[in-house]
Each structure stands twice: as C-alpha cells, then as structure tokens.
Amino acid sequence: MSQNKEKEQLTEEEQQKLLEKYDAEANTRKLTGFAGWLVFLGLIAFSLFQLYTGAFGAYTAYIQRTIHLGFALSLIFLLFPAKRGISKNYVAWYDWILVILSIIVAGYWPVFYDTLVQQIGGIDEAQMVIGGLAILLVLEATRRAVGLPITIIAMLFLIYAYFGPYMPGMLAHRGLSLSQLINSMFFTTEGILGTPLQVSSTYIFLFLLFGAFLVQSGVGLYFNDLALAIAGRRVGGPAKVAIFSSALNGTISGSSVANTVTTGSYTIPMMKRLGYRPNFAGAVEAASSTGGQIMPPIMGAAAFLMIEFAGVGYWDIAKAALIPAILYFSGIWIMTHLEAKRLGLIGLSKEEMPNRKAVFKKIYLLLPIVAIVYLLFEGYSIERTALYGIGITILVSMFSKETNMFLHEGKFTIRKIIDALTSGARTALGVAAATACAGIIVGVVTKTGLGLKLGNGLVDIAGAIANSIEMQLLLTLFFTMITSIILGMGSPTTANYIITSTIALPAILALNDQLPIAIPILAAHMFVFYFGIVADITPPVALAAFAATGISGGEPIRTGFNASKLAIAAYIIPYMFVLNPQLLMIDATAGEITFSLITAIVGMIAIGAGLIGFWYRKLHWIERIITVVTGLMLIYPEGNTDLFGFVIFVVLLVIQFMTKGKAEDKKQQAHG
C-alpha cells in the first residue's frame, strides 16, 4: 500500500475520537498508576472468572449474576466518566464511592445467600437500601456505558410500575409499592438479575471473549485482505470490499458503530478515491456494518438472548437468519454494482491489490469460525463451543509469526492473550450494564402485564382501521416496525433486542388466535430483531450512518437515507418471512428453500435496479416503479407471485438488452 493511501486512512487516535462521539461504550478514561493497574487487574479477573465458570459450570443463578454485575458496575465507574468533557486521566472521588457501593451491593447476595433464599415475605429495611442502591447504580452505569435512551426507558417503566393506579385507561394497574418494586427488581430473577443478565453472564461474555481472541489472531485484518483479494478488481471494487469485510467483521464485533469506524476508516477513503460520492460511500459502510448483527453464525451476540426469549436452539436461529442475511447483503452488493455501472466506475488496479496467493495461504485463520459453526451444529453447549473456539484461535495463531500469541519478534510473550482478556472484558461492560437495565424493563412488563396491553392496543388500532384480518395483520406489523425502530434508536444490539421483544413483539403474537395459520414464534422474534437493528441506519437517529460521515465528510441525514435505501431488504424481508416462513427455513423442504432463495435474489436485482435507477441503461420513473413491484412479487415466497414476477422480470430484461444500444448511441451523440 502506498504512503499516500495510508494518509487517507484514519489514525487509531482519529478512530477513537469518532467512536467516542457516536458510541458511548468507547468514551472511557485513559488511566495510569494505581487506578490503571486496578482496572487492568479487574478486567483480567473478570475474564478469568467467566472462563472458569464456563469451563467448570456456573454458580447458582443469584451468585453468578451478581458477581458478573459487580465486576461490570465497579469497572464502569472506574473507566467511564460521569459526563463528556471531564478529564479522563483520573478517577473522580465520587466514582470511588460508587465503586465501593457496587462491590457492597454485588457482594450482598453471595454473602447472605442462605438467608435470602430461605426468606419468606417481604424485604427488611437494610435490603430496601441494598436493592434501591442496586437499581440506581445500574441506571447510572448504563447511562455512562450505553447511553441515555435505554436509561430513560427503564426510568419511565419504574415510574409506571409505581404510579400504576393513576395511569389512564388500559394502562392502569394496581401499582407496586416501593418495597414490592425493589424486591422484584433485585431479590428475584424477574428484574435486574433476570434472563438478560443471565445470558450476559454466560453465553455472551464468552463469545465476546472469543471475538477478542479472533482480533488478536489477526483475523480482522485478514477479513480486509480476503475481501480485497475476492472483490477488489470487480466493478466498483472498494464498495464490494466494504460489504464483504464489514459483514465478516460485524458478525463478531457486536457493534454497528464500532464496525463502521474500524472497517470504514479503511474502505470509505478507498471508495471515495474510486469515484463514489461521500454520502453513498458512507452509506455502503454503515449499511454493511449494521448488517453484521444479522449475519450468522455469531450475529453480534443478540442471538444468544433469542435462545432464551424465543425458546429455540441456537442452530435453529442461525439457520433461520441465513437466507434473510444473504438477501440483505445481496441487495447492498447489487445496488453498489449498479451505482458503479451508472457512474462508470472500475475496480482497483493490480498495483493496489494484495498478493492473492499470500492471502489465500492464510485461509486457516478462518478455522475458528468454521469450528464453532460445526460444534454448534453437532449440539455442543454454547459455553463449551465458545471455549473450544478460543482454544482453536490460539492454536491457529501459532502458524504465523505475525499472529502468534506466544511469540513476538522471536521472544516468548503472552501479551496478545492478555490483550484479548482485557479487550473482551472491556467490550462486555456495556453489554452487562445494558442487559441489567433491560432486566428492569422486562421485570416491570412481567409485573404489570404492560407488554400484552400494548400489544392488544396496537392490534385494536389496526383492527379499527382494517376491513379484513389480512389487512389488520399488515397494519399490526407496520405499527410494530415503527415501534421497534423507535425503541432501537441509540441502543446497542443486545439491549435493543430485549426492549423490542418485550414491548413490540406481543402485538404480533396477539393476532395468532385470529389468524388461520399462526405466526411462528421465531418469525415474530426475527421481525422485531431486524427492525431494532436497522434503527442504526434509519434517520433521524442513525448512529452508524452518522459515524460514517465522520470519515466520508458527507451529510449525516443524506448518508442515513442512502444507507436505508441500500439496506432495503431489511425493511422488506421481515414482512415476507412473517407472512411466509419459508424464508426462515421453517417447515420447508430443501427444494422450496432453494427456489425461494433464487427467486428472492432475482427480486433483489429488480428492486436494486429500480431504486438506483439504472440497469443496463438509465431507467425512466415508470420503469423504476415496475421493477420494484416485480422485485417484491419475486421475494414473496408464493407460487403465483413468483410466476408473475418472473415473467415480468424476463420481459424487463429483454427490453433492457434491446434498448441498451440505443441509449449508448444517444450518449455518444450527445458527447460528440
């Protein structure tokens, strides 16, 4: 790579500043001295605790979750300042107090476990104080490490739980006293210590650690090289490199914004240099990075929550997500290709390409990912799979001098392993806080029945407008989509899914009794999951798109709209797989799945051409409408729509070929 190209990329310091601006989880202190060592040892201890319980079995629910929470809270108050602009070189005196309180609160359950599990009735005054502190500490830690949106939602839910009798109409309920509220939030597994934190303290942490080991093994950089080797020379090569590398990196990073900044600092300047407009270049990276969260096999950690919430196996989730993910990235690939053809952009030159033989020689770096897919398919537990994945990553790294975790410049060192342990634990802090805070929301919904009330409310509104059950279903899905996007704005993937599945999901399931064929539970969960995810690229709060503009120099809102257009599959496919679950491989034969996939990809070609306004030539506005409608018919997995759509597609294709030459002649005459 030339020196000029290196200057076009963001430095690590510039990347960090951009992350801190758009990603609350990156806004941490840079500590040295005693505080720095304390954080370092705390992160190592956190990872070792999780590895130990993953290998030898977790403690009982309350102890496992409170220790996990205690590590997270105390480290968050050490690492994350109370607000932006405060000096990041030292820990404020009040944060030391919060650290001590976090340790006391988290240690209460392990110390008094026998007393608490045998306790009958309410809680005493000391427990009121401990439980109240736990709620406040979780809210403050979440505000610092995750952001305001989820914190505000949790606070509103607590207010709703307490003031239930004063709520209007169907929202009214008996209400919870302060004692009942604190008891349910911290002294049961229905609140902070609920299912979300349980998943964080077992599955999610180990897979985040696996991702950190993959990064240290050099697989992140290898994704970029592999993407270049495969797609760099193609039409619009840099954009396709961005799609390929962002999909691979996104599935292990767990953060749309982080993936956009790290991968985008390399791909966006390359796209701009080739000729893509800044708004389009940023949109390609933002849409691709966001899609990493829905890309099997890891799916940004939210899939592990879906195991508990939907009650299905991990392999079933990964399998169901495969075709929608293929269609998502096919749509982005197709539209970037057509945009490149429209602008006359070519691929990278031979000099800009890496040595393909050298790249493919390192294909063994992908073995850990292949291994975990195989192990999950064979039915190994998720914890065991993650542990084996970490072990295989370490072994694979030893085949290369550059990635060896034990040797550096010929000397024995375990620095990379230590870096992986600290990096994995640091990444898990925001997830732990978010899941604990989301537990508050889930707990209030469980105690008050709010989810069912909101679900029935959306169904009733749709029923009042619709004149048939089919129209009522479509309107309910639309209202649920809007709700999921709003709730997902500014929230990380894990918290995002918990909130949408708790609040928005019941609306879909509430219709099942009225439908001739019930909507599968997995399809309903995937629906809200998808729309929570695309909140990161949906204006006005499109954090991934806004982060991309920090690199591209484009306009945030226009980049967000471009990203939404490129990710159009994410706004269409969920409706399709709810209406016909074949796209999720539910109750479908291999032949039906193959046919649905082929017709859907052909449909994405038509939709892409219509949205870009170019196929083999420029499309008129009426042609654009027809191609989009044709694409929708092909995506919906049903015999008649596929047949009609395919016939129209062939006709459009023939017309394109017949008129392509005339369009080129006119263009040449105009230039002549």
Side-chain angles (χ1 to χ4, degrees), residues 39-63:
V39 168
F40 171 76
L41 293 174
L43 292 170
I44 292 289
F46 196 7
S47 287
L48 291 178
F49 167 75
Q50 296 292 159
L51 285 170
Y52 175 81
T53 56
F56 299 103
Y59 292 106
T60 57
Y62 290 110
I63 294 177

Side-chain angles (χ1 to χ4, degrees), residues 607-660:
I607 289 174
L611 291 176
I612 295 296
F614 186 89
W615 199 342
Y616 288 96
R617 59 164 173 78
K618 184 178 178 181
L619 298 177
H620 301 296
W621 67 268
I622 189 66
E623 291 177 307
R624 296 179 69 171
I625 294 172
I626 293 171
T627 53
V628 170
V629 172
T630 301
L632 292 173
M633 293 172 69
L634 284 162
I635 289 174
Y636 183 60
E638 196 272 328
N640 290 332
T641 58
D642 285 336
L643 179 61
F644 287 128
F646 189 74
V647 169
I648 299 171
F649 181 87
V650 171
V651 171
L652 290 171
L653 191 62
V654 170
I655 292 171
Q656 283 286 307
F657 272 114
M658 290 176 64
T659 56
K660 175 187 172 185

Side-chain angles (χ1 to χ4, degrees), residues 26-79:
N27 190 33
T28 57
R29 293 180 170 118
K30 280 72 177 174
L31 299 173
T32 56
F34 172 75
W37 273 103
L38 189 61
V39 168
F40 171 76
L41 293 174
L43 292 170
I44 292 289
F46 196 7
S47 287
L48 291 178
F49 167 75
Q50 296 292 159
L51 285 170
Y52 175 81
T53 56
F56 299 103
Y59 292 106
T60 57
Y62 290 110
I63 294 177
Q64 177 76 18
R65 297 173 200 182
T66 49
I67 293 175
H68 179 80
L69 181 64
F71 270 118
L73 292 178
S74 54
L75 287 166
I76 285 171
F77 291 126
L78 286 172
L79 275 169

Side-chain angles (χ1 to χ4, degrees), residues 417-480:
I417 289 179
I418 291 173
D419 286 346
L421 292 173
T422 55
S423 174
R426 190 182 288 254
T427 304
L429 297 180
V431 175
T435 50
C437 190
I440 293 174
I441 298 168
V442 175
V444 171
V445 169
T446 303
K447 284 290 182 182
T448 63
L450 179 61
L452 189 60
K453 291 176 182 178
L454 291 176
N456 287 332
L458 289 178
V459 171
D460 291 342
I461 294 171
I465 301 172
N467 54 12
S468 68
I469 187 62
E470 291 80 8
M471 182 56 68
Q472 186 179 11
L473 172 59
L474 288 173
L475 285 172
T476 301
L477 291 176
F478 177 76
F479 294 149
T480 305

